[in-house]
């Protein structure tokens, strides 16, 4: 079984949908997560705070430089993630398709480098 990371790409954090739209998205995400669990594909999922809550640590001259803010500025940032187990890329892409429909946001599907034993 292979593990895949589904990255939820969040456009501008100052452009969040209205609360009632966010509530609908939350309900669809809950249903998506239930489906993952029932299929045995669930590993982990979670939303992230906005990029300005980030802290970056960089090795420098034998020490670590700590800076506030995201690693990279961009119009889109990582808004959340979901780790799923899938037998192959096609199955992972199907989970990504469902995540995109649930969130209404772009989803990046990326395999982990090593397969698990299960």
């Amino acid at each position: 079984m292979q593990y895949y990371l589904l990255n939820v790409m969040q456009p501008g954090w100052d452009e969040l949908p209205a609360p009632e739209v966010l509530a609908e998205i939350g309900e669809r995400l809950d249903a998506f997560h239930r489906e993952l669990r029932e299929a045995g594909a669930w590993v982990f999922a979670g939303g992230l705070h906005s990029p300005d809550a980030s802290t970056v640590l960089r090795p420098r001259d034998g020490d670590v430089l700590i800076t506030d803010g995201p690693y990279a500025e961009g119009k889109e940032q990582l808004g959340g993630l979901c780790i799923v187990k899938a037998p192959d890329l096609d199955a992972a892409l199907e989970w990504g398709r469902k995540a995109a429909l649930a969130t209404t946001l772009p989803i990046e599907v990326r395999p982990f480098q090593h397969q698990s034993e299960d």
Side-chain angles (χ1 to χ4, degrees), residues 1-7 32 36 41 82-100 107-112:
M1 190 70 75
Q2 177 74 47
Y3 285 80
Y4 292 87
L5 176 64
L6 309 182
N7 289 323
F32 172 62
L36 280 170
C82 182
I83 300 173
V84 300
K85 292 187 286 187
D88 55 37
L89 179 60
D90 287 340
L93 292 176
E94 178 61 19
W95 287 121
R97 186 186 73 78
K98 291 179 180 187
I107 302 295
E108 176 189 52
V109 177
R110 187 182 302 188
F112 282 83

Side-chain angles (χ1 to χ4, degrees), residues 33-95:
H33 293 160
R34 272 194 307 277
E35 186 177 352
L36 280 170
R37 286 186 176 98
E38 290 168 4
W42 170 269
V43 177
F44 176 81
L48 298 171
H49 285 281
S50 66
D52 61 358
S54 299
T55 304
V56 178
L57 295 85
R58 299 174 198 267
R60 178 147 314 158
D61 300 327
D63 201 356
V64 175
L65 176 65
I66 300 173
T67 57
D68 292 333
Y71 173 73
E73 298 287 340
K75 289 184 177 181
E76 294 182 324
Q77 296 280 336
L78 183 61
L81 58 93
C82 182
I83 300 173
V84 300
K85 292 187 286 187
D88 55 37
L89 179 60
D90 287 340
L93 292 176
E94 178 61 19
W95 287 121

